[in-house]
Amino acid sequence: MNDPYELQQVEFQIRSSKENGEYSLRLTKDEVSKFVLSKYKPKQKIQESFNFDTLDYNRQTLFLIIGFGFGYVVEKIQELVGDSACIYVIEPAPQLLVAQANLIDKDKFKKVVFLTGLEFQRLYEDFFYVIDENTLNNLKIFVHPHYEYFYFKYMKRITDIINTVKSDRVINLNTVNAIGTRYPENAINNVFLLNKAYDINCHKDKYKDIPALVVSAGPSLDKNLEDIKDFNGLIFCVGRTIQSVQSIGKEVDFTCIVDYSTKIYETFPEKKNVPIIAFSTVSKEVMNEWDAQIYLVDTSPAFKELVDINLPPADSAGSVSTLALNMATFMGCNPIIMVGQDLAYTDKKSYSSTCDVFNEDEFLKKVDPAKSTVYKLVEGYHPGEQVLSTELYNGFRRWIQRHIASNQHITYINATEGGAKILGAMQMTMQEVVEEYGYIEKPPIEHKLLLDEPIDIEARLNVTLETIEEKMKRIFEAVKLSNELIHEYKNYDEEKSPQKIKEYMEELDKADKHIKEVKLENLLRYVFMTLTTHLMTDGKYKEQVWKSDIENAVHLAETNNKMYEALSISLVDLKKKIQKRIEEERENGNG
């Protein structure tokens, strides 16, 4: 039987302990036997071993327990935190979990999430969902004694998954903080491009069985750039590779941009004369100077909130290469070939020498992946090879692998000839690709405007300004109610206050729903989250189990007021940005 994690090699023995209704648990492997749960007072001893008295936790803490241990640790957490505690239990061996389940009152653990066996994908998906800004630094892991010995390979896999989820969440959080006000600022700028924007939907499945080449800027592009000369299908370039491909006399059909920053401007050539596929919130500096067709797509309804226009949706992992790959799939291209898609620092280099802008090579030569928390070695393109990469690159690679797995009707070819291995992609050299598919020529590319007729953008933005005013008015009413609730808590009367508090809470629920009815969340979220990250991640803003209910209620109400304040600041910021952009258009004679 296939047993990669050696679960079948671990035997278990369950016996009634000296304490009535409690059980001992002993694991055995390779003639080594150890007690996970003692024969004497197993429940008390395992609970004491985790030092709950000194543990920093609150009602929002996410608890992960490796090994079920008849639920003794779960019971202690529920005793301290309450039945609403968020608890995950991972028992490596399914047969051990079943054996324990047959000896306990299952009703006690109805709210606990159990995982067992090789449910690794479910663990990643579940944890990616529950580990957010609130729980990122509020996760407590309990490992039952000796599990790391008996289930060493399994535990390593679990640890890797948890670290990956946390890393992905940190990347998301850092992205939020980095984007800050650029997200709404770019969206407000780019909304004025709508009347000359083109519709990506006109290319949907239009190029079936036409090969597409996605040219990325990885160091391995130096090896096969010249081979692209004889490729006649569609060519998608990331910004910095436009000049690389054009330098060998090839026409670029599409480029893509997902970056919001000003720095990305430096990666594009002086002549911006290639059709571009862009998210609505990308760098305004790039978009304002673009001379060719602009295709606006989105992952969020920012333009819907601004001017009541839905842009065509597009998927991306936050990488321009993944957007290009997604667009080639959307257009029906087959096969889709990737070059320069190293997803690694091949030969300790950051980019191809044909398009390098941000040079990190000297720094990379000093990186020791064994000592680094950022850099790591991953399986390489060539058999037996390991290459230097990062968790960010690994996130992009996982997205590409999922994308390939979801589109099995298309052949994906990795012709990078270096970098990290991409599972699911056929490996060929670019020369082999040209020999097999070079004879297939792309048809003429036609472009169609997004809107049937121009819209009055300023008039629609003025409607949004009115919406902002209405939302601010509703927030003011909620703050007023919240302050009255805080006052009632601080002057608590056992006879009168319970009913008053109930009424305030009902009114606040209505007020919150009233606020949410005004849809501006996507435009506000980056500024709002930047202002409130400390409220969501700092434990002192959580409900504390050692405080009285009244103290916790006052504390949470005051925190809620801070959230309202942050929302108001975000709205004022959005309002000023819209007003400023309207004035700029008028000054340019476009208003």
Side-chain angles (χ1 to χ4, degrees):
M1 180 183 292
N2 185 26
D3 186 22
Y5 296 97
E6 301 176 353
L7 301 182
Q8 303 297 326
Q9 297 181 28
V10 181
E11 298 177 357
F12 63 88
Q13 184 181 64
I14 295 172
R15 293 284 185 269
S16 294
S17 76
K18 303 294 183 181
E19 299 294 316
N20 186 38
E22 296 182 15
Y23 300 92
S24 68
L25 172 63
R26 182 165 65 180
L27 299 181
T28 304
K29 177 183 177 183
D30 298 332
E31 299 183 355
V32 175
S33 184
K34 295 176 184 272
F35 277 96
V36 174
L37 297 173
S38 169
K39 293 185 290 185
Y40 305 97
K41 299 183 178 180
K43 183 174 181 178
Q44 178 183 328
K45 287 189 175 182
I46 193 65
Q47 291 178 349
E48 288 176 349
S49 72
F50 289 119
N51 299 315
F52 280 96
D53 291 341
T54 60
L55 193 66
D56 182 20
Y57 60 89
N58 51 60
R59 288 195 173 96
Q60 285 73 43
T61 298
L62 172 61
F63 297 93
L64 172 63
I65 307 169
I66 312 297
F68 181 45
F70 297 97
Y72 299 149
V73 177
V74 174
E75 288 181 30
K76 184 65 175 180
I77 293 170
Q78 291 177 332
E79 174 192 329
L80 294 170
V81 180
D83 290 339
S84 62
C86 185
I87 303 172
Y88 277 72
V89 170
I90 300 176
E91 184 64 79
Q95 62 271 28
L96 176 54
L97 181 61
V98 170
Q100 294 176 84
N102 289 334
L103 297 171
I104 62 169
D105 179 2
K106 300 183 188 67
D107 287 341
K108 289 183 179 180
F109 309 104
K110 281 184 176 180
K111 295 183 179 180
V112 176
V113 179
F114 288 91
L115 297 169
T116 188
L118 307 184
E119 293 186 282
F120 298 129
Q121 184 61 30
R122 184 186 166 197
L123 174 63
Y124 177 87
E125 291 172 355
D126 277 19
F127 263 53
F128 193 80
Y129 177 76
V130 297
I131 293 182
D132 55 17
E133 292 78 9
N134 293 296
T135 53
L136 185 60
N137 298 314
N138 200 14
L139 169 65
K140 303 300 176 188
I141 300 176
F142 302 88
V143 180
H144 273 77
H146 312 304
Y147 266 59
E148 289 175 329
Y149 172 81
F150 289 104
Y151 299 110
F152 176 77
K153 291 183 179 180
Y154 190 92
M155 288 294 299
K156 187 177 184 304
R157 181 67 189 275
I158 294 296
T159 301
D160 286 345
I161 291 172
I162 293 168
N163 288 338
T164 297
V165 172
K166 293 181 74 172
S167 176
D168 288 350
R169 277 303 184 194
V170 167
I171 289 168
N172 287 355
L173 188 56
N174 288 343
T175 300
V176 166
N177 291 332
I179 290 175
T181 62
R182 287 286 294 179
Y183 179 94
E185 193 173 285
N186 286 336
I188 293 162
N189 176 85
N190 296 340
V191 78
F192 282 93
L193 301 172
L194 264 173
N195 286 328
K196 62 177 184 180
Y198 286 78
D199 186 7
I200 199 68
N201 285 324
C202 74
H203 299 291
K204 171 73 171 168
D205 293 328
K206 192 172 182 180
Y207 308 100
K208 288 190 174 182
D209 299 323
I210 301 296
L213 183 66
V214 176
V215 185
S216 301
S220 296
L221 182 61
D222 292 349
K223 301 176 185 177
N224 45 31
L225 179 62
E226 287 295 320
D227 295 324
I228 295 174
K229 282 182 178 179
D230 297 319
F231 182 82
N232 295 302
L234 266 68
I235 297 179
F236 293 77
C237 284
V238 306
R240 71 184 75 236
T241 63
I242 294 173
Q243 57 199 15
S244 307
V245 173
Q246 289 178 337
S247 72
I248 59 170
K250 293 299 290 184
E251 177 186 13
V252 177
D253 298 297
F254 294 97
T255 187
C256 297
I257 179 173
V258 300
D259 202 306
Y260 60 89
S261 70
T262 56
K263 191 176 182 181
I264 196 66
Y265 179 85
E266 300 171 29
T267 70
F268 285 93
E270 185 176 346
K271 290 184 179 179
K272 300 172 177 62
N273 55 0
V274 173
I276 190 169
I277 303 169
F279 286 140
S280 64
T281 54
V282 298
S283 171
K284 63 179 183 178
E285 290 79 12
V286 173
M287 301 309 293
N288 287 344
E289 292 191 11
W290 208 262
D291 295 325
Q293 294 88 350
I294 295 173
Y295 287 87
L296 291 173
V297 296
D298 226 333
T299 55
S300 66
F303 274 30
K304 176 68 175 176
E305 292 177 356
L306 271 175
V307 290
D308 197 26
I309 293 290
N310 284 312
L311 292 178
D315 192 14
S316 167
S319 159
V320 65
S321 297
T322 54
L323 176 60
L325 188 70
N326 184 42
M327 288 293 97
T329 302
F330 174 83
M331 294 181 186
C333 301
N334 193 15
I336 298 173
I337 305 105
M338 296 171 278
V339 293
Q341 189 63 275
D342 288 71
L343 297 168
Y345 298 101
T346 307
D347 299 326
K348 294 284 182 83
K349 294 179 181 178
S350 50
Y351 301 112
S352 164
S353 62
T354 67
C355 55
D356 193 6
V357 178
F358 310 131
N359 196 328
E360 299 176 4
D361 296 357
E362 290 304 314
F363 168 73
L364 289 169
K365 290 174 183 176
K366 301 175 184 177
V367 169
D368 181 356
K371 298 178 180 178
S372 175
T373 58
V374 176
Y375 297 91
K376 61 190 296 184
L377 293 175
V378 300
E379 182 182 3
Y381 183 95
H382 302 289
E385 177 188 35
Q386 284 195 315
V387 291
L388 185 68
S389 187
T390 65
E391 193 52 52
L392 179 62
Y393 279 159
N394 274 333
F396 297 153
R397 185 159 61 113
R398 287 192 293 271
W399 186 97
I400 292 171
Q401 290 171 167
R402 289 195 297 269
H403 182 82
I404 291 172
S406 300
N407 293 280
Q408 295 190 13
H409 60 291
I410 294 175
T411 298
Y412 293 88
I413 300 171
N414 185 3
T416 298
E417 301 177 54
K421 183 178 182 64
I422 298 174
L423 299 178
M426 181 189 303
Q427 291 191 177
M428 297 173 67
T429 67
M430 191 60 210
Q431 191 171 5
E432 289 170 339
V433 168
V434 168
E435 289 172 358
E436 186 162 347
Y437 300 105
Y439 71 93
I440 304 175
E441 295 190 2
K442 66 193 174 193
I445 297 175
E446 300 175 352
H447 304 280
K448 177 181 176 293
L449 285 170
L450 176 65
L451 303 179
D452 293 331
E453 57 184 32
I455 63 171
D456 188 336
I457 294 169
E458 182 179 330
R460 295 192 179 210
L461 287 176
N462 282 325
V463 172
T464 302
L465 289 172
E466 293 173 3
T467 302
I468 290 171
E469 292 291 344
E470 177 61 28
K471 196 172 185 80
M472 289 177 69
K473 188 189 304 180
R474 296 182 185 193
I475 291 170
F476 177 79
E477 292 299 322
V479 169
K480 183 180 176 183
L481 279 169
S482 185
N483 285 334
E484 291 173 2
L485 174 62
I486 292 169
H487 178 79
E488 191 63 40
Y489 274 126
K490 288 183 175 180
N491 298 275
Y492 192 82
D493 182 299
E494 291 186 359
E495 291 185 5
K496 299 178 181 178
S497 291
Q499 181 59 34
K500 286 186 177 181
I501 287 170
K502 180 182 176 183
E503 292 170 0
Y504 281 131
M505 294 297 289
E506 289 173 353
E507 288 300 312
L508 272 171
D509 283 343
K510 291 178 184 176
D512 279 336
K513 290 176 183 176
H514 201 44
I515 291 169
K516 289 175 183 175
E517 286 171 359
V518 183
K519 303 293 184 184
L520 290 169
E521 278 68 24
N522 286 282
L523 288 168
L524 295 173
R525 65 174 175 149
Y526 286 107
V527 178
F528 177 71
M529 289 181 71
T530 301
L531 292 170
T532 59
T533 295
H534 68 293
L535 297 177
M536 293 185 284
T537 58
D538 194 328
K540 72 181 181 181
Y541 294 106
K542 311 297 183 186
E543 189 175 1
Q544 308 295 342
V545 294
W546 55 85
K547 288 185 177 181
S548 70
D549 289 342
I550 297 295
E551 288 175 318
N552 268 320
V554 171
H555 192 66
L556 291 176
E558 289 174 341
T559 302
N560 201 41
N561 265 4
K562 289 183 173 67
M563 301 288 275
Y564 284 138
E565 181 183 354
L567 187 55
S568 295
I569 292 170
S570 304
L571 284 163
V572 170
D573 179 75
L574 181 61
K575 178 181 175 181
K576 288 179 179 178
K577 283 180 167 58
I578 293 174
Q579 291 172 331
K580 180 182 177 183
R581 189 67 184 90
I582 289 173
E583 285 302 314
E584 288 173 351
E585 281 296 302
R586 288 175 179 172
E587 289 171 6
N588 293 330
N590 299 323

